[in-house]
Amino acid sequence: MTTMTDAAPTRVYKAHTRPAWRRVLITREAAIIGILILVIVVALATVRNFDSPLTVTYLLRDIAPILLIALPMTLIIITEEIDLSVASIVGLSSVMTGILTQAGLPFPAAALIAILVGTLAGFVNGFLITVVGLPSLAVTIGTLALFRGIAVGLLGTTAITEFPEEWTDLAKANIPGTPIPMIMVPFLVLAIIFAVVLHFTPFGRSLYAIGLNKEAAAFSGIDVGRTKFLLFVVSGAVSGFAGVYFTLLYSNARGDNAMGMELQVIAAVLLGGVSIFGGRGALHGVIAGVLLIGVLGSALRLAGVTSDVINIITGVLLIVSVVSSSLLAWLQRRRAAAIGKRKGRGETVDVS
């Protein structure tokens, strides 16, 4: 008769043992939402006119392009890639919208072509990254300059300011009876689509798998190259749409439109809980991150703080986001090592 001297370790999954409220509330995304609520409460109590419906309208109008671009950027960063060219695509799309409208093309056709130009820009990024095999950081730094250079080259220092009034009015219109801009309707539709795809489909799970270990994902049957290529194309298309909206909102097509917006998008995505190292993040946290940066900036401007100081604060938030992600990753590695030692001794293991 054989006697078992060491019992096999018992695997207990934290997701099945922790109370539901802890799984929902004790997360980085929940912390960002809590901070957002706190900032809003403090701003309402201390900043004059912050509770004005006009403040809500201008706040949502201003952050709408960032909200839109943050959707595909979230998916890209989850796969451990990055797209720094999004703001340049916005500028290029804006210039194309202006030039085509000025040439007499009906505005819907001009807008569609501008979005297609953005999609083509995303195609270029995706091709260089997934087919040629270049790193996304290097590629999108290069295309950031390339697309911006094309936009500025097409218009020079001039600006196009004449657009059909019915379209500019639509871009500035609110949902009837509310201070909420109409642009929030297409954003909400896109947000729901992106959320369902990311969190409730096999494709979304494949993005997390790629971010955690692309070699393992490839061996499991995921087409890593095709998946990343699709994400960059979608990013270009959404950035192109944001460029059309940006042009109508400000009635202005210029080559330097949206300059620096890529940093605001990336800061918001990282602040919302997406790991710069890939494999982690949730869309509701990203939306809260965009709103937090927008609300904080709006409150500070109403309080008389200069744009330079607001940019410094945004930069600090970005650094804090990256550092906190690195710290969490380090803590998780230490915890995994401790679990490994406990498994080696045959103890009960709590697997997160």
Side-chain angles (χ1 to χ4, degrees):
M1 180 177 178
T2 304
T3 302
M4 298 294 292
T5 56
D6 291 320
T10 303
R11 295 170 62 87
V12 180
Y13 289 88
K14 182 179 289 187
H16 296 164
T17 59
R18 291 196 307 170
W21 68 270
R22 289 189 62 188
R23 299 200 301 269
V24 173
L25 297 179
I26 311 301
T27 63
R28 181 168 176 174
E29 291 79 16
I32 294 300
I33 294 172
I35 294 172
L36 171 62
I37 294 171
L38 178 62
V39 170
I40 291 174
V41 170
V42 172
L44 287 172
T46 60
V47 179
R48 185 180 178 183
N49 295 325
F50 185 78
D51 58 348
S52 166
L54 199 59
T55 299
V56 175
T57 298
Y58 279 106
L59 167 63
L60 293 178
R61 283 181 188 173
D62 289 343
I63 67 172
I66 300 174
L67 282 169
L68 289 167
I69 300 170
L71 298 176
M73 184 68 79
T74 299
L75 276 58
I76 287 173
I77 295 181
I78 284 175
T79 63
E80 204 180 3
E81 301 291 350
I82 199 165
D83 187 354
L84 294 174
S85 68
V86 287
S88 296
I89 296 175
V90 171
L92 180 58
S93 171
S94 175
V95 167
M96 292 303 302
T97 302
I99 289 175
L100 294 172
T101 302
Q102 190 179 56
L105 204 64
F107 184 82
L112 178 59
I113 293 173
I115 294 171
L116 291 176
V117 168
T119 306
L120 178 61
F123 181 95
V124 171
N125 283 335
F127 178 83
L128 293 174
I129 292 163
T130 63
V131 178
V132 179
L134 302 176
S136 60
L137 179 62
V139 167
T140 57
I141 286 176
T143 54
L144 176 154
L146 172 64
F147 300 148
R148 183 68 69 182
I150 294 173
V152 173
L154 287 172
L155 276 184
T157 58
T158 62
I160 297 173
T161 58
E162 296 294 329
F163 296 95
E165 189 174 339
E166 63 270 22
W167 288 98
T168 56
D169 288 345
L170 179 62
K172 299 171 185 176
N174 291 346
I175 297 173
T178 74
I180 300 174
M182 287 293 294
I183 187 62
M184 289 296 107
V185 175
F187 163 71
L188 287 175
V189 172
L190 286 175
I192 291 170
I193 293 172
F194 274 84
V196 170
V197 168
L198 178 61
H199 298 295
F200 301 103
T201 68
F203 181 81
R205 289 191 290 274
S206 73
L207 302 183
Y208 289 102
I210 292 170
L212 290 171
N213 191 320
K214 63 181 180 182
E215 288 80 11
F219 280 119
S220 68
I222 297 171
D223 192 329
V224 175
R226 184 173 64 183
T227 300
K228 290 184 178 181
F229 180 85
L230 177 61
L231 294 183
F232 281 98
V233 171
V234 171
S235 178
V238 174
S239 298
F241 174 70
V244 173
Y245 168 73
F246 193 100
T247 304
L248 291 175
L249 179 62
Y250 298 106
S251 298
N252 191 318
R254 291 175 55 93
D256 59 355
N257 276 352
M259 185 81 76
M261 184 181 288
E262 66 279 345
L263 297 180
Q264 294 175 291
V265 173
I266 294 170
V269 171
L270 299 182
L271 184 63
V274 178
S275 172
I276 192 66
F277 304 107
R280 186 190 185 285
L283 213 55
H284 63 281
V286 170
I287 293 172
V290 177
L291 290 172
L292 176 58
I293 291 177
V295 168
L296 191 60
S298 178
L300 291 173
R301 279 192 294 271
L302 287 172
V305 178
T306 63
S307 297
D308 291 337
V309 175
I310 295 173
N311 289 336
I312 291 172
I313 292 173
T314 302
V316 170
L317 288 174
L318 177 58
I319 293 171
V320 169
S321 300
V322 175
V323 170
S324 62
S325 295
S326 300
L327 180 60
L328 287 173
W330 178 74
L331 291 174
Q332 289 171 354
R333 287 195 297 271
R334 289 202 53 167
R335 186 167 179 273
I339 288 174
K341 291 180 180 178
R342 292 173 61 189
K343 287 176 65 177
R345 295 196 297 267
E347 299 177 9
T348 297
V349 179
D350 184 5
V351 181
S352 59

